[in-house]
Amino acid sequence: MTATPEAIALATKAAKAADEKLASDVMVIDVSDQLVITDCFVIASADNERQVTSIVDEIEEELRDAGYKPVRREGTKEGRWSLLDYGDVVIHIQHADERDYYALDRLWKDCPIIDIEGVASADRPASWDGISADQDAELPAVEPNRDAGGRQ
């Protein structure tokens, strides 16, 4: 099973909106073979909290203008990892530190990437090729930057 054309169209609009606000490492992943609750993940990074918020606002505005409304939104106040759930498409906008630490793209490495015309898609590191699920669980996660008080 592959993502529906409607889900790909929505994911494309979201990816282009993120790219317009200078998101980095924009990636659309077809998770439809692994999950029954959604077809695509859109994952993008930003260098700071303000940019995360700006990207989220742009995506919401573009999708609202196209007639889409999120089912759920989480993390939009903190500006570190915002999740917009549009049913068939779940959008993750993450601060670069969270993107490295949680490595969603590594978690879903067995799912195909959907190329979006006009958006430079992030590449998966070659070091991920051939890694089994057991080996993947053993890979170290990158610890996000923390201040002296242990806060991010």
Side-chain angles (χ1 to χ4, degrees), residues 19 24 61 97 107 116 123 133 136 139 143:
D19 187 60
S24 56
E61 183 178 330
D97 291 340
L107 180 65
I116 305 298
D123 291 324
D136 192 38
L139 289 174
E143 192 64 30

Side-chain angles (χ1 to χ4, degrees), residues 2-3 6 11 16 34 43 59 62 64 69 73 78 87 91 99-100 107 113 134 136 138 150-151:
T2 60
E6 295 81 15
K16 287 183 175 184
Q34 303 293 324
I43 305 172
I59 291 171
E62 287 292 322
R64 185 175 33 257
K69 185 177 177 185
R73 45 194 317 265
E78 294 82 10
I91 302 162
R99 176 88 179 253
D100 290 340
L107 180 65
I113 295 175
D134 292 337
D136 192 38
E138 295 171 8
R151 294 178 297 270

Side-chain angles (χ1 to χ4, degrees), residues 13-86:
K13 286 184 184 302
K16 287 183 175 184
D19 187 60
E20 205 170 285
K21 285 296 180 176
L22 305 178
S24 56
D25 299 326
V26 178
M27 181 180 285
V28 178
I29 304 173
D30 181 345
V31 296
S32 61
D33 283 339
Q34 303 293 324
L35 294 174
V36 295
I37 58 173
T38 194
D39 282 355
C40 298
F41 280 172
V42 177
I43 305 172
S45 302
D47 292 330
N48 57 61
E49 290 85 354
R50 179 180 254 166
Q51 188 183 13
V52 169
T53 301
S54 176
I55 294 166
V56 168
D57 290 346
E58 181 70 16
I59 291 171
E60 287 186 311
E61 183 178 330
E62 287 292 322
L63 295 183
R64 185 175 33 257
D65 291 347
Y68 299 104
K69 185 177 177 185
V71 176
R72 175 173 294 117
R73 45 194 317 265
E74 296 180 19
T76 54
K77 290 182 182 173
E78 294 82 10
R80 300 292 296 180
W81 179 352
S82 295
L83 182 143
L84 304 172
D85 182 354
Y86 284 87

Side-chain angles (χ1 to χ4, degrees), residues 2-13:
T2 60
T4 65
E6 295 81 15
I8 293 172
L10 194 155
T12 297
K13 286 184 184 302

